[in-house]
Amino acid sequence: MQSPEFGTTQENVVLFLNRTYNRPELVQDFGRPICVVSAGHHDAAIPGITKEKFLTNVGWYLNMLDLQCESFIWIATTATKTDEFAQKRNLTEIWNDGVLGLLEQSPILRGKVVFVDGFEASTRCPHQDNVHMSKEWYQRLASLIQNVATAPC
C-alpha cells in the first residue's frame, strides 16, 4: 500500500493510526490504541528474503508503531496448508521463533507485547488457501482478542 506520502505499507499504517486514532481528543479520552500486528506469509514470497532481513523489517515496523500504539498483540504466523509454494511450514516456525526472540530481547518492546502463538492449532484447522485460515478461524481469534482486551483488570 503506497501513497504520495510513503512508499511502504508499514509507513502508511503508522500514518493512518496517527491521523485516525491518535487525534489529541481521542488520546485524551481513551489513550493510544492496542495494535494487533502480524507478518510473515507474504514476506516469505519476497525473492531473496532471509530470516535476518525479515526480523530487521519487523523490528523497524514495531519501532515505528511504538510511537502510535500503547501496546501490541503480535499474532504468530499460522502454519501453511502445504509446502507447495514459497511459504513453508518449517520456515514459518523458524520466523515465529525469531520474532519471539526479537520481542524478548528488546527492552522497549518486551513489556509492551503479548505474543499469541496459534501455529500448532492452525495445523489442525481449515485453511481458505495455502496461507490464509478459514473465516471462522479469524472470527474466533478476533473474539478472543476482544475478550482479553476488554476484560476488567
Side-chain angles (χ1 to χ4, degrees):
M1 174 175 82
Q2 286 84 36
S3 73
E5 293 166 286
F6 292 107
T8 69
T9 299
Q10 294 85 347
E11 291 167 309
N12 283 298
V13 166
V14 170
L15 180 65
F16 174 78
L17 287 169
N18 184 47
R19 290 183 176 168
T20 307
Y21 295 105
N22 283 329
R23 295 190 322 259
E25 66 276 11
L26 290 176
V27 171
Q28 179 180 334
D29 290 343
F30 303 105
R32 293 183 299 153
I34 298 170
C35 296
V36 180
V37 188
S38 186
H41 280 316
H42 298 286
D43 300 82
I46 298 171
I49 188 85
T50 63
K51 175 186 163 189
E52 291 72 26
K53 181 63 176 169
F54 171 71
L55 293 175
T56 297
N57 290 344
V58 167
W60 170 74
Y61 185 35
L62 289 175
N63 283 315
M64 280 194 305
L65 282 172
D66 186 46
L67 301 172
Q68 304 302 322
C69 306
E70 185 64 32
S71 57
F72 302 95
I73 299 171
W74 181 274
I75 307 296
T77 306
T78 54
T80 56
K81 184 175 181 179
T82 72
D83 281 342
E84 297 175 16
F85 300 93
Q87 301 87 350
K88 308 289 184 216
R89 194 172 279 200
N90 68 329
L91 179 68
T92 302
E93 283 188 285
I94 291 168
W95 284 17
N96 280 340
D97 290 344
V99 170
L100 183 58
L102 174 80
L103 298 174
E104 290 172 343
Q105 293 173 14
S106 170
I108 295 170
L109 298 173
R110 181 177 37 233
K112 297 181 74 170
V113 180
V114 172
F115 188 87
V116 177
D117 189 353
F119 180 88
E120 191 61 38
S122 72
T123 65
R124 299 180 301 278
C125 294
H127 285 65
Q128 178 180 322
D129 57 31
N130 193 53
V131 297
H132 299 100
M133 301 303 294
S134 69
K135 183 178 177 180
E136 182 181 31
W137 170 274
Y138 293 115
Q139 289 171 333
R140 288 181 177 197
L141 180 61
S143 178
L144 172 72
I145 292 168
Q146 182 179 16
N147 289 339
V148 170
T150 60
C153 295

